[in-house]
């Protein structure tokens, strides 16, 4: 059984948000297509308390984003909500990094209970939450397919996207790119 994990496609990570990922909105249609074909669809949300350690005001690298209960933390309105079975909120511990959808959540037992053996991953952003979610899925024993056309990177340093892909491949993640497959 396969599941799709849509990572953090939230208003704050898309155009006009607090921490927009370049071309972040472009992942939405690809994810909606994947979601319509998937048996089980999980959407994660970055769901931070206002004093989260990743925020610049609290010593972290990022502007405040995806604060619990704010419009910026909501899933993007163009995501096909009817195709999403479960929403998993992460990043709720103010002292933990919280990049991975498996960190401090019940995502792994949820997948195992449903008989999932392989997860497909896309969303935002490739070089942070998508990467850490995919790596944790491998560590939890799942086969993992990363959909390159359904994710975009922040690229704080140029090439972070390619380094993330190399790290994922080295961990045994299959990277597929519909656009380049022709
Ligand atoms: Zn965050």
């Amino acid at each position: 059984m396969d599941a799709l994990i849509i990572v953090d496609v939230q208003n704050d990570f898309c155009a006009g948000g607090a921490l927009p990922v370049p071309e972040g909105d472009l992942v939405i249609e690809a994810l909606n297509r994947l979601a319509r074909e998937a048996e089980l669809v999980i959407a994660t949300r970055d769901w931070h308390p206002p004093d989260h350690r990743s925020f610049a005001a609290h010593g972290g690298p990022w502007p405040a984003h995806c604060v619990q209960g704010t419009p910026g933390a909501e899933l993007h309105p163009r995501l096909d909500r009817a195709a999403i079975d479960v929403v998993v909120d992460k990043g709720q511990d103010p002292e933990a990094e919280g990049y991975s959808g498996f960190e401090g959540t019940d995502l792994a037992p949820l997948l195992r209970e449903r008989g999932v053996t392989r997860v497909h991953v896309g969303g935002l952003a490739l070089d942070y939450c998508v990467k850490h979610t995919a790596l944790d899925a491998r560590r939890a024993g799942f086969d993992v397919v990363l959909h390159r056309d359904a994710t975009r990177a922040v690229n704080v340093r140029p090439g972070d996207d390619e380094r993330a892909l190399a790290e994922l491949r080295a961990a045994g993640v299959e990277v597929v790119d519909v656009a380049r497959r022709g």
Side-chain angles (χ1 to χ4, degrees):
M1 162 108 172
D2 287 24
L4 171 67
I5 304 176
I6 297 173
V7 178
D8 297 7
V9 180
Q10 293 164 270
N11 291 324
D12 270 348
F13 293 129
C14 295
L19 181 48
V21 178
E23 300 186 343
D25 307 52
L26 296 185
V27 305
I28 295 170
E29 284 315 306
L31 287 167
N32 282 340
R33 276 196 300 275
L34 289 168
R36 287 182 202 115
E37 297 163 4
E39 291 171 272
L40 175 66
V41 180
I42 315 283
T44 68
R45 292 192 301 190
D46 219 15
W47 197 248
H48 295 315
D51 60 345
H52 193 255
R53 62 173 273 181
S54 77
F55 296 171
H58 299 278
W62 308 115
H65 62 275
C66 299
V67 174
Q68 296 168 358
T70 64
E74 292 305 314
L75 295 175
H76 193 282
R78 283 198 285 113
L79 258 192
D80 183 357
R81 291 299 302 269
I84 296 169
D85 299 296
V86 184
V87 175
V88 171
D89 292 333
K90 66 185 184 58
Q92 301 196 67
D93 179 348
E95 297 305 325
E97 195 174 53
Y99 286 140
S100 165
F102 290 86
E103 184 182 339
T105 72
D106 60 359
L107 180 52
L110 184 155
L111 293 170
R112 288 194 193 104
E113 277 164 23
R114 308 284 184 106
V116 172
T117 55
R118 182 165 68 168
V119 295
H120 299 258
V121 182
L124 302 170
L126 169 61
D127 38 356
Y128 293 95
C129 292
V130 169
K131 181 180 85 170
H132 286 273
T133 298
L135 291 175
D136 274 358
R138 286 293 297 142
R139 288 186 194 107
F142 298 101
D143 292 331
V144 181
V145 181
L146 185 280
H147 290 260
R148 182 68 187 90
D149 58 311
T151 184
R152 291 295 186 280
V154 180
N155 278 332
V156 169
R157 291 159 299 174
D160 278 354
D161 50 355
E162 291 303 326
R163 281 185 287 274
L165 291 172
E167 195 176 340
L168 289 166
R169 288 190 182 100
V173 172
E174 181 187 355
V175 178
V176 298
D177 192 334
V178 173
R180 284 182 202 173
R181 206 157 56 202

